[in-house]
Amino acid sequence: MLLFITFYLLQSRLHFLPSSFTTSSHDLPALRSDSLSGCNIIPSSLSGFDISSPFSYNRRYIRTVQNDAHEKHASVQHIDADLLTKFVTIDNTASESKITLSNCSPIQLHVSSFDTRPVDGSELLVGVATTLKRLQEAVPHISQWASHTKLKLVISMEHDAAEARMVESELQNLYHLNIHIKITTGSWEDRYLGLVTLLNNERTPATRWIVLADDDTYFPSLQRLKTMLSAYDPNDPVYIGGLSESFLVFTRYKQVGMGGAGVFLSVTLVDELLSSWDQCLEIVKQQVRTPWKYGTDALIGRCITELTPTKLSIAPHLHQLDLLAHGRSQIADASGFYESGRDIVSLHHWRSWHRADVVGIHRVKTICGDACPLQRWQFRDNVILTNGFSVVQYPHLVPDLSKMEMTFFTEGAMADNPQGGNDKKGTWSEVGHSLTPTRPELIEGKDKKSYKLLDSKEYRDGVRQLYVNRGGQVDQVLDIIWLR
């Protein structure tokens, strides 16, 4: 019975998986199957989404051109065309009728040339301590960066061994993951600490880097991750990580790699650390476990810096994302980060402290490559498309896009500003080491009008992104179709 339940749970998650990993592109439906080709709109094709009735609707087509001379990760590209053309009102409860778009000519965007072949991740050995439930929730996003890559993924969990073996087999066969589940006992903290020895035992001749990650650590591009690591020699003792965005948190944990952003240890450093592992365990025992001071990622960092000469190499594109709303029970608005155009090698806290559909955001990379998700284009009508995340129109003036809009708090900003005002957000003293340059938050509905990603779907001949603005009497829906 337990085996059947586990199999059912895994199967029920399949519809969340990026379709390119479960089927070939030839097996996907065509855009016309959902009435998304041509200039006609069929209202019933928009049923099933969380939008008002009636609603205002527009659709734009985009066709990409690969260009070897195109600058990768350009901060923002200027396009001599309007994105938000005429919207039409649709009543999706009315009888079936066709509505014709005023403009269905594709906009042409240049993107970097890219390779569609899977990246070889065999040099990486990634360890995660989690539970079966959280692993099942993590499958869609892990699959998006780890499937078909030869990257070895080791999961430490406390669970029934027979059931875990079945889950392991399903993930290997259905999701093409080189995944291995190891049954361990103890608290999550103990199992995370034990990843160092567990992963060392799982090394292969190809392993160059041992990676400690959380089950909500997301790597948007394995190639970008490998490029970051290529600046270091794994034959040297190397410890790579990212800091918390909050200076207050940094002062607590000191200079250690934050686990959610991903911690990278060269195999040479692991050998050196394990030669003193008993001393490391003694350091852990002596550590006072206060709510803020005890963190296993911090303790591993402490063992490295106290027992070896190696110090942390800070990688600023590994993002812990300790971003808060004013009040820990609320969900932070991380729009300013995602719309900033900053380089991203890892993301964290995207399904807890804030909400971001990382799988939906990055689905478009099958059309335009790894550099394309979250790429920014500025259109003639003062509209910024942050690909896969949002479309924002500025009615007065486009702000300085080189600066991050502080739509969120960090812990130090909240401590300094208990009333929740805007004046302490993004101060140099709190985020000067991490997020600057920054700018104040703009007022939604006055200084900007935002359409946020509601849904995305891959088709044989394109990718659909559905964006919605809920600030008016009816929802405004922008359908962007990326043509293959």
Side-chain angles (χ1 to χ4, degrees), residues 251-282:
T251 60
R252 291 173 178 171
Y253 286 95
K254 309 307 178 188
Q255 193 149 311
V256 298
M258 304 300 287
V263 175
F264 297 79
L265 311 177
S266 68
V267 290
T268 305
L269 176 61
V270 171
D271 290 340
E272 190 173 343
L273 179 61
L274 289 178
S275 68
S276 305
W277 193 243
D278 288 343
Q279 293 173 262
C280 177
L281 295 179
E282 191 60 33

Side-chain angles (χ1 to χ4, degrees), residues 315-335:
H317 306 321
L318 297 175
H319 296 286
Q320 174 75 3
L321 293 187
D322 287 340
L323 313 180
L324 302 170
H326 196 270
R328 291 183 179 273
S329 62
Q330 302 174 27
I331 301 299
D333 177 6
S335 300

Side-chain angles (χ1 to χ4, degrees), residues 243-256 258 292-293 298 322 411-412 415 429-431 433:
L243 304 176
S244 172
E245 289 74 18
S246 167
F247 187 73
L248 181 60
V249 175
F250 168 74
T251 60
R252 291 173 178 171
Y253 286 95
K254 309 307 178 188
Q255 193 149 311
V256 298
M258 304 300 287
W292 58 265
K293 199 171 184 180
D322 287 340
E411 189 163 339
S429 61
E430 172 61 6
V431 297
H433 70 293

Side-chain angles (χ1 to χ4, degrees), residues 202-412:
E202 292 291 321
R203 279 164 60 170
T204 71
T207 304
R208 298 293 178 268
W209 298 98
I210 284 181
V211 186
L212 308 179
D214 287 356
D215 53 27
D216 61 343
T217 303
Y218 181 78
F219 299 108
S221 166
L222 201 59
Q223 183 57 59
R224 201 177 306 159
L225 171 57
K226 288 185 62 177
T227 299
M228 180 196 79
L229 293 175
S230 68
Y232 305 90
D233 186 349
N235 295 311
D236 294 332
V238 182
Y239 168 36
I240 306 169
L243 304 176
S244 172
E245 289 74 18
S246 167
F247 187 73
L248 181 60
V249 175
F250 168 74
T251 60
R252 291 173 178 171
Y253 286 95
K254 309 307 178 188
Q255 193 149 311
V256 298
M258 304 300 287
V263 175
F264 297 79
L265 311 177
S266 68
V267 290
T268 305
L269 176 61
V270 171
D271 290 340
E272 190 173 343
L273 179 61
L274 289 178
S275 68
S276 305
W277 193 243
D278 288 343
Q279 293 173 262
C280 177
L281 295 179
E282 191 60 33
I283 290 174
V284 172
K285 289 179 183 178
Q286 294 174 359
Q287 174 66 56
V288 178
R289 299 190 177 193
T290 63
W292 58 265
K293 199 171 184 180
Y294 178 76
T296 316
D297 48 2
L299 290 179
I300 290 175
R302 182 175 171 184
C303 287
I304 292 171
T305 54
E306 287 196 20
L307 301 176
T308 79
T310 303
K311 301 296 182 266
L312 178 69
S313 296
I314 300 171
H317 306 321
L318 297 175
H319 296 286
Q320 174 75 3
L321 293 187
D322 287 340
L323 313 180
L324 302 170
H326 196 270
R328 291 183 179 273
S329 62
Q330 302 174 27
I331 301 299
D333 177 6
S335 300
F337 171 80
Y338 286 98
E339 295 170 351
S340 67
R342 307 289 172 89
D343 284 342
I344 296 172
V345 173
S346 70
L347 296 167
H348 184 230
H349 284 151
W350 50 270
R351 59 176 178 165
S352 53
W353 294 23
H354 68 275
R355 296 285 189 268
D357 180 5
V358 294
V359 173
I361 289 170
H362 291 87
R363 191 162 281 135
V364 73
K365 70 181 182 180
T366 62
I367 298 287
C368 52
D370 281 358
C372 191
L374 300 178
Q375 169 67 54
R376 300 183 298 176
W377 283 274
Q378 179 174 343
F379 293 85
R380 193 170 53 198
D381 48 354
N382 283 6
V383 171
I384 307 297
L385 165 64
T386 302
N387 193 10
F389 184 80
S390 69
V391 174
V392 182
Q393 185 172 37
Y394 297 95
H396 309 301
L397 185 68
V398 176
D400 184 349
L401 298 177
S402 68
K403 297 181 177 180
M404 183 181 296
E405 183 180 357
M406 294 301 293
T407 59
F408 48 83
F409 282 83
T410 54
E411 189 163 339

Side-chain angles (χ1 to χ4, degrees), residues 472-484:
Q473 292 183 339
V474 299
D475 291 343
Q476 281 197 304
V477 177
L478 176 63
D479 223 344
I480 294 184
I481 311 296
W482 293 78
L483 299 172
R484 198 181 298 276

Side-chain angles (χ1 to χ4, degrees), residues 92-248:
N92 53 6
T93 63
S95 58
E96 189 77 356
S97 61
K98 288 184 179 180
I99 301 171
T100 302
L101 290 166
S102 62
N103 185 351
C104 58
S105 299
I107 299 172
Q108 183 172 287
L109 298 181
H110 288 266
V111 299
S112 304
S113 297
F114 61 94
D115 193 340
T116 58
R117 293 173 298 182
V119 175
D120 183 357
S122 57
E123 68 187 73
L124 300 170
L125 176 56
V126 181
V128 176
T130 188
T131 64
L132 177 61
K133 180 178 184 297
R134 287 185 65 89
L135 175 61
Q136 289 170 329
E137 293 171 349
V139 165
H141 77 82
I142 291 176
S143 299
Q144 202 174 47
W145 56 264
S147 290
H148 299 285
T149 64
K150 301 180 183 177
L151 173 150
K152 188 173 183 180
L153 181 63
V154 177
I155 304 295
S156 170
M157 69 167 61
E158 189 173 23
H159 205 76
D160 175 76
E163 190 174 2
R165 294 287 81 77
M166 194 282 299
V167 173
E168 178 184 85
S169 177
E170 294 295 335
L171 293 177
Q172 290 171 347
N173 295 327
L174 292 177
Y175 293 83
H176 308 287
L177 290 168
N178 182 13
I179 189 169
H180 304 269
I181 296 177
K182 302 298 179 182
I183 305 304
T184 53
T185 58
S187 65
W188 178 88
E189 290 85 358
D190 292 335
R191 287 186 288 116
Y192 183 96
L193 188 68
L195 282 174
V196 177
T197 54
L198 183 63
L199 291 173
N200 186 63
N201 294 333
E202 292 291 321
R203 279 164 60 170
T204 71
T207 304
R208 298 293 178 268
W209 298 98
I210 284 181
V211 186
L212 308 179
D214 287 356
D215 53 27
D216 61 343
T217 303
Y218 181 78
F219 299 108
S221 166
L222 201 59
Q223 183 57 59
R224 201 177 306 159
L225 171 57
K226 288 185 62 177
T227 299
M228 180 196 79
L229 293 175
S230 68
Y232 305 90
D233 186 349
N235 295 311
D236 294 332
V238 182
Y239 168 36
I240 306 169
L243 304 176
S244 172
E245 289 74 18
S246 167
F247 187 73
L248 181 60

Side-chain angles (χ1 to χ4, degrees), residues 432-446:
H433 70 293
S434 57
L435 301 180
T436 53
T438 61
R439 54 184 170 87
E441 182 178 14
L442 298 178
I443 299 174
E444 182 66 42
K446 177 184 176 184

